[in-house]
Amino acid sequence: MNSFEQEIANALEATGSFTAEAALKLISVPPDTTHGNFTIPCFSLAKVMRKAPKMIAEELAAQVKLPAGLSKVEAVNGYLNFFIDRGYLAKSTLEEIDAKGLEYGHAAANGKVVCIDFSSPNIGKELAFHHLRSTMIGNSLSRIYKAAGYKVERINHLGDWGTAFGKLIVMYLREKLPTDQATLDALTVKELNILYAAFSKASKEEPGLEDEARAAFTKLEKGDEFYRTLWTAFRAATLKELMRIYDMMGVGFDHYTGESFFEDKIPAILDELREKNLMIKSNELDVVMLDEFDLNPCLIRKSDGSTLYATRDLAAADYRMKEYHFDKCLYVVDLGQALHFKQVFHVLKKMGREWYTNMYHIPFGVILQMVDGKWEKGKTRTGTASLLRDVIDAAQKKILEFIDAKNPELENKELIARQIGISALTFNDLKNSRVKDVRFDWDAVMSFEGDTGPYVQNAHVRLCSIMRKAGYTVKLSEIDYAQLSDDAAYSLINLLSKKGEKILGAVAGDEPSVLAQYALEIAEAAHKFIHEDRVLGSAEEKSRLFLVQSTQIVLENVLDLLGLFPIRQM
């Protein structure tokens, strides 16, 4: 909530006309600033005060004591319109940016802990393009929560356990591939991905292969030494490639505690479920009934004794609470897993974990690609999905073509092209509500115009360019705030003042799009200011350059919070 709104509400409460709470609900921002920066209707008071709203507004305009930072209040047709003092806003905002730098708008540490489970790919296969969503939504939320004062635990809950490994083992041995340590150490995830696709194809013709895979995983789960050696090699090969891609994208984790990590913690969960009579047999499966919540039974263990996703998630939840004492635990996983998380959370409730209410599924839609004339999600198991590394390479190539045409002498252009390309992919993913499916269109994503990553990055580059050309920085003592009161400057400063509010808004909804849209607004306002208010060589050069410096600082950090690269040249 903007502090001006709260102070207006408090001032109105002092008149006895509204409670501050009621006023806050009525205050809005007019689309036309000639009608004020904030407005509140007085129609709700007409019946109580037995006066016309127009008269009530006029009386209140004469009574209300304006808070600091507001220049005037006007009564117009039953509305109270409040106007911001532009000089006050410019001074207070720009001085705070100067003092706090990139951390302007960030909250102080609040002593709270949030665990964020994101990316979480399956071991044994390459990152597919659709993994971009969980990875970059989670990466952005991690940065945003930290800016909001939380201690963040970034967790990559790797899919490194389960029947999928039985499939890999069966196919590896079926192909009679070497099992000496040197060969296993040299394995690549690309080779493992080929094995997955081969298994999928072969199992369609030989249904018995699925049973072999389940048996192989059961053997692995029971500790077979040879199978454990194969599993260890598969995991190491995958992690090596994952780390390379994550590093390229600027994504980091504090913990790589995959499903296998909880193997020795599952027996305690099973014992407790039995002791509390929560687990029953149903069609030879161990399940927890959830009829009272109108949910299907939660599957805990298969007939052969193998555990399932839910079992491991229950153990992981217990571990995270004991280890991190979280205030919130977020699972950034696609919308299709909504039922799974409802079941897990309600099982925890039945187990008496009162903190289950602090666990949240953060769902998102899928990335859709055009396949044979239809929008659909690719599937890495069958080898039909676009690999993330290939998409990144293609994005870099497209941006490099643009750079070669516009600025062929640019230093480190390959790296810059890659960073712009990754940022373009990321911004396209974050700019709209996360629950929406994302249709991926190359031309739209890579454009330097419109609601795109390159457009926002270009605004940052322009600000940096002006600062380089100036060749000096401006001090606070050199600013004449009266020179920053025109519409273009005011609109930009007003946006900068909202950074803290936007960060908290993104946290409230676990929604990075709040900051993505904010970045677009800043970029548009910055472009307009640069176009309308000449900076270098003007009589207002120092004041305007200071605003350029301040905008660059804010935009750089907003880009960073989104997980975009705030490049300075292109």
Side-chain angles (χ1 to χ4, degrees):
M1 183 65 67
N2 190 296
S3 61
F4 280 128
E5 293 171 279
Q6 183 64 59
E7 295 206 16
I8 290 171
N10 294 341
L12 289 170
E13 184 175 60
T15 68
S17 55
F18 291 94
T19 64
E21 183 181 3
L24 273 175
K25 292 178 180 178
L26 292 172
I27 294 171
S28 63
V29 177
D32 183 353
T33 55
T34 60
H35 296 155
N37 302 105
F38 304 99
T39 187
I40 183 168
C42 298
F43 301 98
S44 62
L45 301 177
K47 188 174 181 179
V48 177
M49 298 178 71
R50 296 185 178 182
K51 294 179 182 178
K54 184 175 183 293
M55 183 178 295
I56 295 172
E58 290 170 351
E59 290 178 359
L60 289 178
Q63 295 174 26
V64 70
K65 184 178 179 181
L66 286 176
L70 295 175
S71 60
K72 64 177 179 177
V73 57
E74 290 181 346
V76 180
N77 297 324
Y79 288 85
L80 279 174
N81 298 332
F82 294 84
F83 293 79
I84 289 176
D85 182 328
R86 293 187 175 188
Y88 177 93
L89 182 67
K91 186 176 188 297
S92 59
T93 300
L94 300 185
E95 284 184 354
E96 190 174 356
I97 294 172
D98 184 67
K100 296 183 178 179
L102 294 172
E103 294 189 358
Y104 163 73
H106 291 204
N110 57 25
K112 294 182 179 180
V113 176
V114 59
C115 292
I116 305 182
D117 177 330
F118 65 103
S119 194
S120 306
N122 290 325
I123 291 295
K125 67 174 188 175
E126 295 186 80
L127 281 173
F129 186 30
H130 64 255
H131 287 111
L132 178 75
R133 296 225 69 191
S134 175
T135 303
M136 301 316 285
I137 291 171
N139 180 55
S140 181
L141 285 175
S142 298
R143 297 170 184 226
I144 293 169
Y145 266 91
K146 183 178 179 182
Y150 286 75
K151 183 180 187 299
V152 180
E153 301 289 350
R154 301 169 298 171
I155 301 170
N156 198 335
H157 187 71
L158 299 168
D160 61 358
W161 208 236
T163 305
F165 288 92
K167 295 179 181 181
L168 267 180
I169 291 170
V170 166
M171 211 63 201
Y172 193 91
L173 298 177
R174 181 184 173 111
E175 294 293 323
K176 298 181 179 180
L177 297 172
T179 58
D180 60 281
Q181 196 59 51
T183 300
L184 292 177
D185 289 343
L187 268 177
T188 66
V189 69
K190 186 175 182 180
E191 293 172 297
L192 298 178
N193 211 42
I194 291 171
L195 286 178
Y196 262 125
F199 182 94
S200 179
K201 182 179 179 181
S203 63
K204 291 177 182 177
E205 300 173 1
E206 303 174 52
L209 273 182
E210 294 285 353
D211 292 331
E212 285 186 43
R214 283 188 282 272
F217 174 62
T218 299
K219 194 174 178 180
L220 172 65
E221 196 170 27
K222 290 180 178 179
D224 183 275
E225 187 175 345
F226 175 55
Y227 280 17
R228 289 283 173 124
T229 298
L230 293 177
W231 171 82
T232 300
F234 298 162
R235 192 178 191 276
T238 311
L239 273 174
K240 183 178 180 181
E241 176 64 6
L242 287 178
M243 297 287 197
R244 186 183 74 85
I245 299 294
Y246 289 142
D247 184 62
M248 183 190 303
M249 298 174 71
V251 175
F253 295 91
D254 301 300
H255 314 284
Y256 283 88
T257 45
E259 293 180 275
S260 64
F261 178 81
F262 302 101
E263 179 192 6
D264 62 349
K265 299 166 182 60
I266 287 175
I269 294 292
L270 297 176
D271 289 344
E272 183 177 347
L273 289 173
R274 275 191 294 265
E275 289 167 5
K276 293 183 175 179
N277 296 316
L278 296 175
M279 189 165 67
I280 66 169
K281 284 285 185 184
S282 176
N283 297 323
E284 299 186 357
L285 302 172
D286 287 321
V287 305
V288 173
M289 302 302 292
L290 298 172
D291 293 346
E292 66 269 44
F293 306 115
D294 293 323
L295 294 172
N296 293 331
C298 183
L299 305 183
I300 301 297
R301 194 165 56 173
K302 298 179 184 178
S303 58
D304 62 7
S306 298
T307 55
L308 294 145
Y309 289 125
T311 330
R312 299 187 280 274
D313 277 339
L314 291 171
D318 255 9
Y319 173 82
R320 290 171 187 175
M321 175 50 73
K322 291 174 184 176
E323 189 72 14
Y324 309 123
H325 307 288
F326 62 76
D327 295 275
K328 295 178 77 173
C329 184
L330 311 183
Y331 295 82
V332 185
V333 184
D334 73 79
L335 194 59
Q337 297 300 314
L339 174 60
H340 167 78
F341 285 107
K342 284 181 181 178
Q343 291 175 319
V344 169
F345 297 164
H346 281 87
V347 171
L348 288 169
K349 179 180 182 180
K350 294 186 74 165
M351 292 175 74
R353 307 297 195 267
E354 295 182 1
W355 42 262
Y356 86 96
T357 55
N358 297 329
M359 304 178 73
Y360 302 90
H361 175 211
I362 309 301
F364 55 84
V366 298
I367 294 179
L368 303 176
Q369 299 167 260
M370 186 65 74
V371 179
D372 297 328
K374 296 180 180 179
W375 289 100
E376 62 179 54
K377 175 186 174 183
K379 299 176 181 177
T380 50
R381 295 296 190 200
T382 56
T384 62
S386 296
L387 298 178
L388 184 53
R389 61 173 170 81
D390 291 339
V391 177
I392 290 174
D393 287 345
Q396 179 187 24
K397 183 179 178 181
K398 284 181 176 291
I399 298 299
L400 196 54
E401 290 172 356
F402 173 85
I403 292 175
D404 283 336
K406 299 289 186 179
N407 189 10
E409 303 304 316
L410 178 66
E411 293 184 10
N412 300 317
K413 62 182 180 181
E414 287 81 9
L415 174 61
I416 290 173
R418 182 174 288 271
Q419 291 179 336
I420 296 174
I422 290 172
S423 297
L425 298 174
T426 301
F427 193 82
N428 184 65
D429 195 81
L430 299 182
K431 68 179 181 180
N432 296 315
S433 171
R434 57 179 160 74
V435 297
K436 292 184 178 180
D437 290 344
V438 175
R439 289 188 174 186
F440 183 76
D441 181 302
W442 272 114
D443 292 336
V445 171
M446 295 295 148
S447 174
F448 282 79
E449 297 179 359
D451 299 348
T452 69
Y455 172 77
V456 176
Q457 284 180 306
N458 185 49
H460 184 258
V461 167
R462 288 188 70 190
L463 295 168
C464 291
S465 176
I466 292 172
M467 291 163 62
R468 279 196 305 274
K469 289 177 181 176
Y472 69 97
T473 55
V474 184
K475 298 178 181 178
L476 276 174
S477 59
E478 300 176 289
I479 308 306
D480 179 355
Y481 293 105
Q483 295 178 338
L484 298 174
S485 61
D486 62 277
D487 288 347
Y490 163 72
S491 295
L492 181 53
I493 293 168
N494 191 34
L495 273 174
L496 300 184
S497 73
K498 297 179 183 297
K499 185 185 172 193
E501 173 190 341
K502 296 295 184 180
I503 290 172
L504 295 180
V507 166
D510 294 307
E511 187 60 85
S513 66
V514 171
L515 280 182
Q517 292 300 317
Y518 181 52
L520 282 169
E521 291 176 326
I522 294 175
E524 184 176 355
H527 282 304
K528 184 176 181 181
F529 169 69
I530 292 168
H531 176 72
E532 294 187 5
D533 292 3
R534 184 162 60 92
V535 179
L536 301 182
S538 68
E540 303 84 0
E541 178 174 308
K542 287 188 175 180
S543 298
R544 290 176 177 175
L545 183 59
F546 193 76
L547 177 52
V548 166
Q549 292 172 196
S550 302
T551 304
Q552 181 274 318
I553 289 170
V554 172
L555 187 53
E556 176 180 344
N557 185 240
V558 172
L559 291 174
D560 184 69
L561 292 177
L562 289 167
L564 274 63
F565 293 96
I567 59 171
R568 294 174 176 268
Q569 296 184 74
M570 66 168 58

